[in-house]
Amino acid sequence: MASIARVHAPSGQRALIITTLAVPLTGWTVHAVSLHRKLAAARRDPLTGLLGRDGYTTRARQITDRYGDNALVGIVDLDHFKEINDGPGGHAAGDRVLTATAQRLVAWAGSRGAVGRIGGDELAFAVRIAPARRELRLAQLVTLLAQPVPIDGGLLVDVAASVGAASPDVLGTTDLSVLQRAADAAMYAGKHTGRAVLADRTHATVPSVNGRRAGRHGTHTLGAAA
């Protein structure tokens, strides 16, 4: 190590030798920092900036394990998203709507919540919310996500999202796969109703693949999020 190397040489030469020995260590430090940043970036969705599946799963499990009955896990699915993609604005409009939805969800969840993108237009969240405030907070989320989204040309795109949520105290478990499965089933049960649905134990019994209702698009690719 350069910091403890014993070099028998005149003081001027010794300083030069120690500096030379330190250069490789500096290079490795820069490499390590760069690698860390690349790994962190790989855990984020490139379009929305949300956590990817693995990053979300890690953070969501921390939240459910730490907060227990005060934790809330949810699934958000944009309604009529294909129509937006196929509309006048094309995929650019779809990307803008998805990005705006992600930003709104992050703002709602707060800095201590976890929000991830787990599918094309499907997002997931894990937050700390006291049981007495769940219905109010979920209603606020649905209202927030239903605000029109501006796209190029000053046009406004009408949007809506279906939301399902699950909590450990209702389901009797902090297992993230069970909570996500129930939240996904609850979301589907309330599809296009304009209201969030809080899962009960019956939603946890719906057949699933990787923590999501069986038959949903992309269930075979969720991976570690289960």
Side-chain angles (χ1 to χ4, degrees):
M1 299 289 289
S3 60
I4 61 173
R6 300 180 183 276
V7 181
H8 299 285
S11 60
Q13 295 180 11
R14 186 181 304 120
L16 177 61
I17 292 172
I18 292 176
T19 300
T20 303
L21 290 173
V23 170
L25 294 179
T26 302
W28 276 110
T29 300
V30 172
H31 174 73
V33 171
S34 176
L35 180 60
H36 175 75
R37 289 175 177 172
K38 289 179 179 179
L39 289 173
R43 294 165 66 88
R44 297 224 168 238
D45 174 62
L47 175 63
T48 63
L50 297 180
L51 293 169
R53 294 185 184 95
D54 291 344
Y56 165 75
T57 299
T58 298
R59 181 71 185 113
R61 282 178 174 154
Q62 291 173 347
I63 290 173
T64 55
D65 289 344
R66 180 175 182 179
Y67 297 117
D69 289 349
N70 286 316
L72 188 69
V73 172
I75 302 291
V76 174
D77 183 81
L78 286 171
D79 297 338
H80 310 297
F81 187 68
K82 185 177 185 303
E83 295 178 12
I84 296 174
N85 268 331
D86 294 341
H91 287 281
D95 289 349
R96 180 70 189 98
V97 167
L98 188 56
T99 301
T101 300
Q103 293 171 344
R104 293 168 177 177
L105 185 53
V106 168
W108 175 85
S111 60
R112 296 185 179 182
V115 182
R117 185 183 182 188
I118 62 173
D121 61 323
E122 294 175 318
L123 312 178
F125 64 82
V127 293
R128 178 188 182 185
I129 299 177
R133 301 188 67 237
R134 285 177 190 151
E135 291 188 8
L136 174 61
R137 295 281 281 124
L138 288 172
Q140 291 172 339
L141 176 60
V142 172
T143 299
L144 179 64
L145 297 181
Q147 300 301 311
V149 174
I151 61 174
D152 293 341
L155 298 176
L156 290 177
V157 176
D158 290 328
V159 295
S162 296
V163 179
S167 57
D169 61 320
V170 174
L171 298 187
T173 180
T174 58
D175 188 314
L176 183 61
S177 64
V178 175
L179 294 170
Q180 287 191 171
R181 177 169 69 243
D184 187 70
M187 182 276 295
Y188 182 74
K191 193 71 175 168
H192 305 305
T193 64
R195 62 183 180 84
V197 177
L198 188 61
D200 57 31
R201 289 179 180 268
T202 63
H203 292 107
T205 64
V206 174
S208 66
V209 177
N210 289 335
R212 299 165 73 200
R213 182 175 50 82
R216 287 183 62 75
H217 178 69
T219 50
H220 61 292
T221 62
L222 183 57

